[in-house]
Amino acid sequence: MKKFFKNLLAISGILLALYLLVQGSLRLFDLQLRAWINVWWLGITALVFILGILQQIFKIKNIKLKIGSIVAIIAAIVLFLKTRLGLLLLMTAWVIPHEEQVAIIDGYKFIGYVDDSWDTFIDFYDYKNTFVSGATLRFTALGYNTDEESGKKRYYDELRYIDHLEDIYEYKQGYFTEKDLTKESK
């Protein structure tokens, strides 16, 4: 086991390849990983990658090469902080859906991924289980209000609140039917 952790860069590559393999395999069945798994998996992969770079630097025997590598990393960090590349990296992390909301409409369960990058959009997919959701976008809400009496979230689009399937534009246009949905199990 100790030998396995000797090259953290290789482990980060394996984690990334495994992530892509899992995502690709799920897409064959019209599924995707839930947002919280994406964030954790890619976060751990990035951390292992950074630790792998540091591990490789500390393995260097030549002191001049080791100092040069450390200076190069510091220069890269300064470059990211002083240019817009750092902002681009932060914006990319901000756009990745990280907030999920489960909504039940007429007994059908949906998982909504909140995008707060410019305006609020909530993209709803079929709820499958704790680890995966459907990959087909069912509908998009522009936001929600919380009912003060019941505490229930009421989602809305441009025209109306979405309280029933008939309120969803995509449902009324025939983009999906009740046969395509999974009924909530009690």
mmCIF file of all heavy atoms in Angstrom, residues 149-185:
data_model
loop_
_atom_site.group_PDB
_atom_site.id
_atom_site.type_symbol
_atom_site.label_atom_id
_atom_site.label_comp_id
_atom_site.label_asym_id
_atom_site.label_seq_id
_atom_site.Cartn_x
_atom_site.Cartn_y
_atom_site.Cartn_z
ATOM 1 N N GLU A 149 -46.161 30.142 5.355
ATOM 2 C CA GLU A 149 -46.978 29.252 6.194
ATOM 3 C C GLU A 149 -46.444 27.821 6.186
ATOM 4 O O GLU A 149 -46.251 27.225 7.233
ATOM 5 C CB GLU A 149 -48.426 29.280 5.716
ATOM 6 C CG GLU A 149 -49.117 30.601 5.974
ATOM 7 C CD GLU A 149 -50.543 30.592 5.460
ATOM 8 O OE1 GLU A 149 -51.110 29.492 5.263
ATOM 9 O OE2 GLU A 149 -51.085 31.678 5.258
ATOM 10 N N SER A 150 -46.238 27.274 4.989
ATOM 11 C CA SER A 150 -45.844 25.866 4.896
ATOM 12 C C SER A 150 -44.334 25.669 4.836
ATOM 13 O O SER A 150 -43.846 24.579 5.086
ATOM 14 C CB SER A 150 -46.480 25.232 3.657
ATOM 15 O OG SER A 150 -45.935 25.812 2.474
ATOM 16 N N GLY A 151 -43.593 26.714 4.477
ATOM 17 C CA GLY A 151 -42.146 26.592 4.326
ATOM 18 C C GLY A 151 -41.754 25.926 3.024
ATOM 19 O O GLY A 151 -40.580 25.668 2.778
ATOM 20 N N LYS A 152 -42.734 25.654 2.153
ATOM 21 C CA LYS A 152 -42.484 24.986 0.883
ATOM 22 C C LYS A 152 -41.961 25.986 -0.146
ATOM 23 O O LYS A 152 -42.419 27.123 -0.210
ATOM 24 C CB LYS A 152 -43.772 24.348 0.369
ATOM 25 C CG LYS A 152 -43.611 23.599 -0.909
ATOM 26 C CD LYS A 152 -44.925 23.018 -1.381
ATOM 27 C CE LYS A 152 -44.737 22.353 -2.728
ATOM 28 N NZ LYS A 152 -45.998 21.995 -3.341
ATOM 29 N N LYS A 153 -41.005 25.558 -0.953
ATOM 30 C CA LYS A 153 -40.481 26.416 -2.021
ATOM 31 C C LYS A 153 -41.424 26.354 -3.212
ATOM 32 O O LYS A 153 -41.855 25.277 -3.620
ATOM 33 C CB LYS A 153 -39.090 25.948 -2.442
ATOM 34 C CG LYS A 153 -38.064 26.155 -1.364
ATOM 35 C CD LYS A 153 -36.703 25.666 -1.785
ATOM 36 C CE LYS A 153 -35.730 25.886 -0.651
ATOM 37 N NZ LYS A 153 -34.446 25.310 -0.872
ATOM 38 N N ARG A 154 -41.744 27.527 -3.755
ATOM 39 C CA ARG A 154 -42.596 27.621 -4.949
ATOM 40 C C ARG A 154 -41.730 28.164 -6.080
ATOM 41 O O ARG A 154 -41.311 29.305 -6.061
ATOM 42 C CB ARG A 154 -43.791 28.537 -4.701
ATOM 43 C CG ARG A 154 -44.734 27.977 -3.661
ATOM 44 C CD ARG A 154 -45.985 28.808 -3.554
ATOM 45 N NE ARG A 154 -46.772 28.668 -4.776
ATOM 46 C CZ ARG A 154 -47.642 29.591 -5.189
ATOM 47 N NH1 ARG A 154 -47.826 30.697 -4.503
ATOM 48 N NH2 ARG A 154 -48.316 29.405 -6.292
ATOM 49 N N TYR A 155 -41.455 27.309 -7.052
ATOM 50 C CA TYR A 155 -40.620 27.674 -8.186
ATOM 51 C C TYR A 155 -41.469 28.407 -9.213
ATOM 52 O O TYR A 155 -42.670 28.199 -9.311
ATOM 53 C CB TYR A 155 -39.993 26.418 -8.798
ATOM 54 C CG TYR A 155 -39.107 25.706 -7.818
ATOM 55 C CD1 TYR A 155 -39.579 24.674 -7.021
ATOM 56 C CD2 TYR A 155 -37.792 26.105 -7.649
ATOM 57 C CE1 TYR A 155 -38.771 24.041 -6.104
ATOM 58 C CE2 TYR A 155 -36.971 25.482 -6.728
ATOM 59 C CZ TYR A 155 -37.464 24.451 -5.963
ATOM 60 O OH TYR A 155 -36.664 23.848 -5.041
ATOM 61 N N TYR A 156 -40.818 29.265 -9.999
ATOM 62 C CA TYR A 156 -41.554 29.994 -11.033
ATOM 63 C C TYR A 156 -40.712 30.155 -12.289
ATOM 64 O O TYR A 156 -39.484 30.074 -12.256
ATOM 65 C CB TYR A 156 -42.002 31.371 -10.522
ATOM 66 C CG TYR A 156 -40.889 32.266 -10.043
ATOM 67 C CD1 TYR A 156 -40.170 33.063 -10.912
ATOM 68 C CD2 TYR A 156 -40.552 32.305 -8.686
ATOM 69 C CE1 TYR A 156 -39.146 33.882 -10.465
ATOM 70 C CE2 TYR A 156 -39.524 33.123 -8.231
ATOM 71 C CZ TYR A 156 -38.837 33.909 -9.131
ATOM 72 O OH TYR A 156 -37.822 34.714 -8.675
ATOM 73 N N ASP A 157 -41.434 30.340 -13.419
ATOM 74 C CA ASP A 157 -40.763 30.691 -14.668
ATOM 75 C C ASP A 157 -41.210 32.099 -15.055
ATOM 76 O O ASP A 157 -41.620 32.868 -14.186
ATOM 77 C CB ASP A 157 -41.046 29.657 -15.766
ATOM 78 C CG ASP A 157 -42.527 29.521 -16.108
ATOM 79 O OD1 ASP A 157 -43.320 30.380 -15.696
ATOM 80 O OD2 ASP A 157 -42.874 28.558 -16.809
ATOM 81 N N GLU A 158 -41.154 32.445 -16.345
ATOM 82 C CA GLU A 158 -41.482 33.816 -16.746
ATOM 83 C C GLU A 158 -42.933 34.186 -16.471
ATOM 84 O O GLU A 158 -43.264 35.343 -16.245
ATOM 85 C CB GLU A 158 -41.221 34.026 -18.245
ATOM 86 C CG GLU A 158 -39.791 33.902 -18.642
ATOM 87 C CD GLU A 158 -39.493 32.515 -19.212
ATOM 88 O OE1 GLU A 158 -40.333 31.598 -19.069
ATOM 89 O OE2 GLU A 158 -38.401 32.348 -19.766
ATOM 90 N N LEU A 159 -43.828 33.187 -16.506
ATOM 91 C CA LEU A 159 -45.257 33.484 -16.491
ATOM 92 C C LEU A 159 -45.984 33.118 -15.208
ATOM 93 O O LEU A 159 -46.964 33.760 -14.860
ATOM 94 C CB LEU A 159 -45.935 32.759 -17.665
ATOM 95 C CG LEU A 159 -45.364 33.089 -19.055
ATOM 96 C CD1 LEU A 159 -46.006 32.201 -20.103
ATOM 97 C CD2 LEU A 159 -45.579 34.554 -19.376
ATOM 98 N N ARG A 160 -45.568 32.107 -14.539
ATOM 99 C CA ARG A 160 -46.380 31.576 -13.444
ATOM 100 C C ARG A 160 -45.537 30.771 -12.446
ATOM 101 O O ARG A 160 -44.412 30.416 -12.730
ATOM 102 C CB ARG A 160 -47.479 30.691 -14.011
ATOM 103 C CG ARG A 160 -46.937 29.391 -14.607
ATOM 104 C CD ARG A 160 -47.959 28.665 -15.441
ATOM 105 N NE ARG A 160 -47.496 28.254 -16.731
ATOM 106 C CZ ARG A 160 -47.247 28.993 -17.803
ATOM 107 N NH1 ARG A 160 -47.386 30.235 -17.774
ATOM 108 N NH2 ARG A 160 -46.834 28.492 -18.922
ATOM 109 N N TYR A 161 -46.188 30.464 -11.314
ATOM 110 C CA TYR A 161 -45.602 29.526 -10.364
ATOM 111 C C TYR A 161 -45.765 28.117 -10.909
ATOM 112 O O TYR A 161 -46.733 27.807 -11.595
ATOM 113 C CB TYR A 161 -46.286 29.628 -9.000
ATOM 114 C CG TYR A 161 -45.785 30.783 -8.178
ATOM 115 C CD1 TYR A 161 -46.532 31.936 -8.029
ATOM 116 C CD2 TYR A 161 -44.547 30.715 -7.558
ATOM 117 C CE1 TYR A 161 -46.064 33.003 -7.282
ATOM 118 C CE2 TYR A 161 -44.061 31.762 -6.802
ATOM 119 C CZ TYR A 161 -44.831 32.905 -6.669
ATOM 120 O OH TYR A 161 -44.352 33.948 -5.938
ATOM 121 N N ILE A 162 -44.824 27.264 -10.575
ATOM 122 C CA ILE A 162 -44.858 25.878 -11.027
ATOM 123 C C ILE A 162 -45.311 25.024 -9.846
ATOM 124 O O ILE A 162 -44.502 24.595 -9.024
ATOM 125 C CB ILE A 162 -43.474 25.439 -11.541
ATOM 126 C CG1 ILE A 162 -43.040 26.332 -12.689
ATOM 127 C CG2 ILE A 162 -43.491 23.978 -11.954
ATOM 128 C CD1 ILE A 162 -41.599 26.148 -13.120
ATOM 129 N N ASP A 163 -46.624 24.817 -9.765
ATOM 130 C CA ASP A 163 -47.191 23.997 -8.693
ATOM 131 C C ASP A 163 -47.625 22.620 -9.202
ATOM 132 O O ASP A 163 -47.784 21.694 -8.422
ATOM 133 C CB ASP A 163 -48.392 24.709 -8.069
ATOM 134 C CG ASP A 163 -47.978 25.990 -7.356
ATOM 135 O OD1 ASP A 163 -46.912 25.990 -6.710
ATOM 136 O OD2 ASP A 163 -48.703 26.997 -7.469
ATOM 137 N N HIS A 164 -47.862 22.501 -10.500
ATOM 138 C CA HIS A 164 -48.334 21.252 -11.109
ATOM 139 C C HIS A 164 -47.583 21.033 -12.415
ATOM 140 O O HIS A 164 -47.027 21.971 -12.991
ATOM 141 C CB HIS A 164 -49.840 21.312 -11.376
ATOM 142 C CG HIS A 164 -50.637 21.598 -10.154
ATOM 143 N ND1 HIS A 164 -50.839 20.668 -9.161
ATOM 144 C CD2 HIS A 164 -51.250 22.730 -9.735
ATOM 145 C CE1 HIS A 164 -51.558 21.207 -8.199
ATOM 146 N NE2 HIS A 164 -51.812 22.464 -8.519
ATOM 147 N N LEU A 165 -47.596 19.793 -12.909
ATOM 148 C CA LEU A 165 -46.939 19.503 -14.175
ATOM 149 C C LEU A 165 -47.494 20.371 -15.307
ATOM 150 O O LEU A 165 -46.760 20.786 -16.201
ATOM 151 C CB LEU A 165 -47.108 18.022 -14.539
ATOM 152 C CG LEU A 165 -46.279 17.021 -13.724
ATOM 153 C CD1 LEU A 165 -46.624 15.604 -14.125
ATOM 154 C CD2 LEU A 165 -44.802 17.277 -13.880
ATOM 155 N N GLU A 166 -48.786 20.664 -15.254
ATOM 156 C CA GLU A 166 -49.404 21.472 -16.305
ATOM 157 C C GLU A 166 -48.871 22.903 -16.333
ATOM 158 O O GLU A 166 -49.045 23.616 -17.316
ATOM 159 C CB GLU A 166 -50.935 21.501 -16.136
ATOM 160 C CG GLU A 166 -51.610 20.173 -16.386
ATOM 161 C CD GLU A 166 -51.513 19.229 -15.183
ATOM 162 O OE1 GLU A 166 -51.336 19.697 -14.035
ATOM 163 O OE2 GLU A 166 -51.600 18.012 -15.409
ATOM 164 N N ASP A 167 -48.232 23.338 -15.272
ATOM 165 C CA ASP A 167 -47.645 24.683 -15.224
ATOM 166 C C ASP A 167 -46.281 24.745 -15.909
ATOM 167 O O ASP A 167 -45.749 25.831 -16.113
ATOM 168 C CB ASP A 167 -47.476 25.136 -13.762
ATOM 169 C CG ASP A 167 -48.802 25.232 -13.031
ATOM 170 O OD1 ASP A 167 -49.829 25.473 -13.692
ATOM 171 O OD2 ASP A 167 -48.793 25.060 -11.801
ATOM 172 N N ILE A 168 -45.730 23.601 -16.250
ATOM 173 C CA ILE A 168 -44.391 23.548 -16.858
ATOM 174 C C ILE A 168 -44.543 23.656 -18.367
ATOM 175 O O ILE A 168 -45.216 22.845 -19.008
ATOM 176 C CB ILE A 168 -43.666 22.247 -16.473
ATOM 177 C CG1 ILE A 168 -43.522 22.144 -14.952
ATOM 178 C CG2 ILE A 168 -42.309 22.165 -17.158
ATOM 179 C CD1 ILE A 168 -43.022 20.797 -14.473
ATOM 180 N N TYR A 169 -43.920 24.651 -18.945
ATOM 181 C CA TYR A 169 -44.003 24.899 -20.388
ATOM 182 C C TYR A 169 -43.560 23.674 -21.191
ATOM 183 O O TYR A 169 -44.215 23.270 -22.153
ATOM 184 C CB TYR A 169 -43.151 26.119 -20.751
ATOM 185 C CG TYR A 169 -43.069 26.374 -22.229
ATOM 186 C CD1 TYR A 169 -44.102 27.018 -22.898
ATOM 187 C CD2 TYR A 169 -41.952 25.967 -22.963
ATOM 188 C CE1 TYR A 169 -44.038 27.246 -24.258
ATOM 189 C CE2 TYR A 169 -41.881 26.196 -24.318
ATOM 190 C CZ TYR A 169 -42.921 26.831 -24.974
ATOM 191 O OH TYR A 169 -42.857 27.049 -26.320
ATOM 192 N N GLU A 170 -42.441 23.061 -20.805
ATOM 193 C CA GLU A 170 -41.905 21.915 -21.532
ATOM 194 C C GLU A 170 -42.863 20.733 -21.491
ATOM 195 O O GLU A 170 -42.960 19.969 -22.453
ATOM 196 C CB GLU A 170 -40.537 21.512 -20.967
ATOM 197 C CG GLU A 170 -39.430 22.497 -21.242
ATOM 198 C CD GLU A 170 -39.375 23.649 -20.242
ATOM 199 O OE1 GLU A 170 -40.280 23.782 -19.393
ATOM 200 O OE2 GLU A 170 -38.409 24.430 -20.320
ATOM 201 N N TYR A 171 -43.598 20.586 -20.386
ATOM 202 C CA TYR A 171 -44.580 19.512 -20.265
ATOM 203 C C TYR A 171 -45.761 19.784 -21.186
ATOM 204 O O TYR A 171 -46.232 18.901 -21.903
ATOM 205 C CB TYR A 171 -45.043 19.383 -18.810
ATOM 206 C CG TYR A 171 -46.080 18.318 -18.583
ATOM 207 C CD1 TYR A 171 -45.709 16.982 -18.508
ATOM 208 C CD2 TYR A 171 -47.431 18.641 -18.438
ATOM 209 C CE1 TYR A 171 -46.653 15.985 -18.299
ATOM 210 C CE2 TYR A 171 -48.374 17.661 -18.225
ATOM 211 C CZ TYR A 171 -47.982 16.331 -18.161
ATOM 212 O OH TYR A 171 -48.917 15.364 -17.956
ATOM 213 N N LYS A 172 -46.225 21.022 -21.201
ATOM 214 C CA LYS A 172 -47.363 21.379 -22.053
ATOM 215 C C LYS A 172 -47.017 21.260 -23.534
ATOM 216 O O LYS A 172 -47.876 20.949 -24.344
ATOM 217 C CB LYS A 172 -47.843 22.801 -21.740
ATOM 218 C CG LYS A 172 -48.534 22.868 -20.403
ATOM 219 C CD LYS A 172 -49.175 24.149 -19.980
ATOM 220 C CE LYS A 172 -49.037 25.366 -20.754
ATOM 221 N NZ LYS A 172 -49.621 26.544 -20.115
ATOM 222 N N GLN A 173 -45.763 21.489 -23.878
ATOM 223 C CA GLN A 173 -45.340 21.397 -25.280
ATOM 224 C C GLN A 173 -45.045 19.951 -25.698
ATOM 225 O O GLN A 173 -44.759 19.694 -26.858
ATOM 226 C CB GLN A 173 -44.105 22.259 -25.522
ATOM 227 C CG GLN A 173 -44.361 23.734 -25.357
ATOM 228 C CD GLN A 173 -45.396 24.247 -26.335
ATOM 229 O OE1 GLN A 173 -45.371 23.914 -27.515
ATOM 230 N NE2 GLN A 173 -46.330 25.036 -25.848
ATOM 231 N N GLY A 174 -45.096 19.013 -24.757
ATOM 232 C CA GLY A 174 -44.895 17.600 -25.082
ATOM 233 C C GLY A 174 -43.443 17.156 -25.115
ATOM 234 O O GLY A 174 -43.124 16.099 -25.649
ATOM 235 N N TYR A 175 -42.540 17.955 -24.523
ATOM 236 C CA TYR A 175 -41.141 17.552 -24.489
ATOM 237 C C TYR A 175 -40.921 16.349 -23.580
ATOM 238 O O TYR A 175 -39.952 15.624 -23.744
ATOM 239 C CB TYR A 175 -40.240 18.707 -24.045
ATOM 240 C CG TYR A 175 -40.215 19.852 -25.027
ATOM 241 C CD1 TYR A 175 -40.480 21.143 -24.620
ATOM 242 C CD2 TYR A 175 -39.937 19.636 -26.367
ATOM 243 C CE1 TYR A 175 -40.467 22.198 -25.517
ATOM 244 C CE2 TYR A 175 -39.917 20.677 -27.279
ATOM 245 C CZ TYR A 175 -40.180 21.959 -26.842
ATOM 246 O OH TYR A 175 -40.171 22.988 -27.732
ATOM 247 N N PHE A 176 -41.788 16.169 -22.607
ATOM 248 C CA PHE A 176 -41.772 14.968 -21.787
ATOM 249 C C PHE A 176 -43.182 14.713 -21.295
ATOM 250 O O PHE A 176 -44.032 15.595 -21.287
ATOM 251 C CB PHE A 176 -40.768 15.065 -20.621
ATOM 252 C CG PHE A 176 -41.110 16.079 -19.563
ATOM 253 C CD1 PHE A 176 -41.833 15.709 -18.429
ATOM 254 C CD2 PHE A 176 -40.694 17.402 -19.680
ATOM 255 C CE1 PHE A 176 -42.133 16.632 -17.452
ATOM 256 C CE2 PHE A 176 -40.994 18.336 -18.708
ATOM 257 C CZ PHE A 176 -41.716 17.953 -17.587
ATOM 258 N N THR A 177 -43.454 13.457 -20.945
ATOM 259 C CA THR A 177 -44.777 13.064 -20.454
ATOM 260 C C THR A 177 -44.607 12.405 -19.096
ATOM 261 O O THR A 177 -43.489 12.174 -18.636
ATOM 262 C CB THR A 177 -45.457 12.074 -21.426
ATOM 263 O OG1 THR A 177 -44.680 10.866 -21.454
ATOM 264 C CG2 THR A 177 -45.568 12.644 -22.829
ATOM 265 N N GLU A 178 -45.727 12.071 -18.473
ATOM 266 C CA GLU A 178 -45.658 11.412 -17.167
ATOM 267 C C GLU A 178 -44.999 10.040 -17.266
ATOM 268 O O GLU A 178 -44.429 9.554 -16.293
ATOM 269 C CB GLU A 178 -47.053 11.297 -16.564
ATOM 270 C CG GLU A 178 -47.612 12.635 -16.138
ATOM 271 C CD GLU A 178 -48.929 12.524 -15.396
ATOM 272 O OE1 GLU A 178 -49.026 11.679 -14.491
ATOM 273 O OE2 GLU A 178 -49.848 13.288 -15.726
ATOM 274 N N LYS A 179 -45.056 9.397 -18.444
ATOM 275 C CA LYS A 179 -44.410 8.092 -18.627
ATOM 276 C C LYS A 179 -42.892 8.212 -18.503
ATOM 277 O O LYS A 179 -42.227 7.253 -18.140
ATOM 278 C CB LYS A 179 -44.748 7.527 -20.003
ATOM 279 C CG LYS A 179 -46.187 7.142 -20.176
ATOM 280 C CD LYS A 179 -46.402 6.637 -21.583
ATOM 281 C CE LYS A 179 -47.883 6.600 -21.902
ATOM 282 N NZ LYS A 179 -48.137 6.291 -23.300
ATOM 283 N N ASP A 180 -42.349 9.391 -18.818
ATOM 284 C CA ASP A 180 -40.901 9.595 -18.753
ATOM 285 C C ASP A 180 -40.413 9.814 -17.337
ATOM 286 O O ASP A 180 -39.212 9.749 -17.081
ATOM 287 C CB ASP A 180 -40.505 10.823 -19.584
ATOM 288 C CG ASP A 180 -40.889 10.690 -21.046
ATOM 289 O OD1 ASP A 180 -40.784 9.563 -21.572
ATOM 290 O OD2 ASP A 180 -41.289 11.694 -21.637
ATOM 291 N N LEU A 181 -41.311 10.094 -16.398
ATOM 292 C CA LEU A 181 -40.943 10.486 -15.056
ATOM 293 C C LEU A 181 -41.017 9.336 -14.077
ATOM 294 O O LEU A 181 -41.707 8.338 -14.320
ATOM 295 C CB LEU A 181 -41.840 11.621 -14.576
ATOM 296 C CG LEU A 181 -41.872 12.873 -15.466
ATOM 297 C CD1 LEU A 181 -42.893 13.857 -14.930
ATOM 298 C CD2 LEU A 181 -40.512 13.497 -15.565
ATOM 299 N N THR A 182 -40.359 9.473 -12.958
ATOM 300 C CA THR A 182 -40.394 8.484 -11.892
ATOM 301 C C THR A 182 -41.252 9.023 -10.764
ATOM 302 O O THR A 182 -41.016 10.110 -10.257
ATOM 303 C CB THR A 182 -38.967 8.225 -11.360
ATOM 304 O OG1 THR A 182 -38.130 7.862 -12.451
ATOM 305 C CG2 THR A 182 -38.967 7.122 -10.327
ATOM 306 N N LYS A 183 -42.264 8.258 -10.390
ATOM 307 C CA LYS A 183 -43.143 8.644 -9.293
ATOM 308 C C LYS A 183 -42.374 8.536 -7.981
ATOM 309 O O LYS A 183 -41.591 7.613 -7.793
ATOM 310 C CB LYS A 183 -44.373 7.744 -9.289
ATOM 311 C CG LYS A 183 -45.545 8.232 -8.516
ATOM 312 C CD LYS A 183 -46.298 9.271 -9.299
ATOM 313 C CE LYS A 183 -47.680 9.471 -8.683
ATOM 314 N NZ LYS A 183 -48.315 10.650 -9.151
ATOM 315 N N GLU A 184 -42.622 9.492 -7.087
ATOM 316 C CA GLU A 184 -41.964 9.461 -5.778
ATOM 317 C C GLU A 184 -42.463 8.258 -4.997
ATOM 318 O O GLU A 184 -43.648 8.001 -4.907
ATOM 319 C CB GLU A 184 -42.256 10.735 -5.006
ATOM 320 C CG GLU A 184 -41.624 10.740 -3.652
ATOM 321 C CD GLU A 184 -42.186 11.804 -2.737
ATOM 322 O OE1 GLU A 184 -43.281 12.307 -2.968
ATOM 323 O OE2 GLU A 184 -41.502 12.106 -1.751
ATOM 324 N N SER A 185 -41.529 7.502 -4.411
ATOM 325 C CA SER A 185 -41.926 6.374 -3.568
ATOM 326 C C SER A 185 -42.119 6.855 -2.150
ATOM 327 O O SER A 185 -41.344 7.646 -1.627
ATOM 328 C CB SER A 185 -40.853 5.285 -3.614
ATOM 329 O OG SER A 185 -39.613 5.803 -3.201
#
